[in-house]
Amino acid sequence: MCIYLLSQKLMYAYAFIKGQPPLDIQLPPGIIGALDLVCGQEIIAVVEPDLSPESIATDDGELIQAVVKQDSIICQLFQQTPVLPLRFGSFWHSKADLNHHLIANEAEYLHKLNYLAPFAEYTLKCTPIEEPNPDISPPDARGKNYLLAKKQRYQIQQQFQAAQTTEWENLQQLVKRDYPHIICGETQNNQQRLYFLAPRSETTLLQERYHHWQQTSPRWQINLGEPLPPYHFV
């Protein structure tokens, strides 16, 4: 079982993969030292032995570097084989504990790896375009003319916001129609995010659909991320 302890050397795990030794896979360098494998029967854990929480990070800067390093390691593994990524800070007491965990949960992990094997996770970042602030007042606008111009400006802005909301709702439906495995993330800095699984072999089709999504959402700036391990779907 995953544990979180201080002041103790533990075994740090990055991801679970499927296979049996000997395994044809290139292990990248770990956060501090070399990576190793802990094998169950058909599930293997990629680990960094004798790694303590203190050696990962002693301040915010080192913590960020460690998170980025872990992400890089998992992505390098993902380029070679399907993976089940683990959360940052996943420790086990010993090799024996981890081996027991792999064997006890083998059926669940095998099912997930087999199911997710054909897919990559993509992120669709959607930023709303700023609503217009038209200056429709005539040069000599005052009194009733000024109030009328102000009302017209407000109506234009309201219409823009309503259309933008409708586009966002339609976009979610379009993506879900093409890729049913989808998660709507939390809003970050006024940016909406959609995480979805798409077949790794259909990159051309995905690009075609992405361009269609852009065309149907002119009030949004839409960016499609690179294929990643299934972080949100394990």
Side-chain angles (χ1 to χ4, degrees):
M1 183 177 182
C2 180
I3 56 177
Y4 305 88
L5 297 177
L6 297 177
S7 303
Q8 181 179 356
K9 281 194 173 182
L10 304 165
M11 178 164 287
Y12 189 86
Y14 290 88
F16 296 154
I17 60 178
K18 184 173 71 171
Q20 296 176 328
L23 193 67
D24 184 20
I25 188 171
Q26 297 295 319
L27 296 177
I31 294 175
I32 301 295
L35 299 188
D36 199 358
L37 302 176
V38 173
C39 301
Q41 294 175 337
E42 295 186 61
I43 298 296
I44 297 174
V46 180
V47 304
E48 186 168 347
D50 299 327
L51 189 65
S52 66
E54 300 86 44
S55 60
I56 292 180
T58 57
D59 57 41
D60 290 344
E62 288 188 355
L63 179 63
I64 293 174
Q65 290 180 3
V67 171
V68 172
K69 181 66 175 180
Q70 168 159 317
D71 181 65
S72 175
I73 290 169
I74 294 175
C75 286
Q76 290 179 66
L77 295 171
F78 180 65
Q79 292 172 3
Q80 303 177 65
T81 185
V83 302
L84 291 181
L86 299 180
R87 292 183 300 170
F88 180 78
S90 296
F91 293 92
W92 267 264
H93 274 301
S94 66
K95 179 178 180 179
D97 285 345
L98 180 51
N99 177 265
H100 176 76
H101 176 83
L102 294 175
I103 294 174
N105 296 275
E106 180 180 278
E108 175 188 353
Y109 293 144
L110 273 176
H111 174 74
K112 287 184 178 181
L113 279 165
N114 289 331
Y115 181 78
L116 293 171
F119 298 105
E121 178 181 314
Y122 291 86
T123 303
L124 202 66
K125 298 179 181 180
C126 308
T127 305
I129 295 175
E130 187 175 351
E131 62 192 58
N133 186 21
D135 184 7
I136 56 177
S137 303
D140 59 346
R142 63 184 63 187
K144 291 184 179 179
N145 288 337
Y146 171 77
L147 294 176
L148 178 61
K150 186 176 181 179
K151 180 180 178 180
Q152 291 175 333
R153 187 183 301 113
Y154 175 77
Q155 290 175 338
I156 291 174
Q157 292 173 338
Q158 289 296 106
Q159 291 169 358
F160 181 90
Q161 291 175 359
Q164 195 171 58
T165 299
T166 299
E167 286 180 6
W168 169 239
E169 293 171 350
N170 291 341
L171 176 61
Q172 293 180 78
Q173 293 303 314
L174 283 174
V175 178
K176 188 174 183 179
R177 182 193 66 187
D178 295 330
Y179 303 104
H181 304 290
I182 183 172
I183 295 174
C184 187
E186 295 183 0
T187 303
Q188 301 181 21
N189 297 323
N190 200 36
Q191 183 184 79
Q192 304 285 356
R193 297 193 179 201
L194 296 176
Y195 306 101
F196 63 93
L197 295 178
R200 302 175 73 173
S201 60
E202 297 182 358
T203 55
T204 301
L205 178 59
L206 175 58
Q207 287 296 324
E208 293 174 355
R209 287 171 170 169
Y210 166 53
H211 291 310
H212 175 65
W213 300 337
Q214 287 182 311
Q215 292 172 356
T216 58
S217 309
R219 294 169 181 82
W220 292 83
Q221 179 181 340
I222 302 174
N223 293 299
L224 179 65
E226 297 296 319
L228 296 173
Y231 290 116
H232 291 85
F233 297 88
V234 295

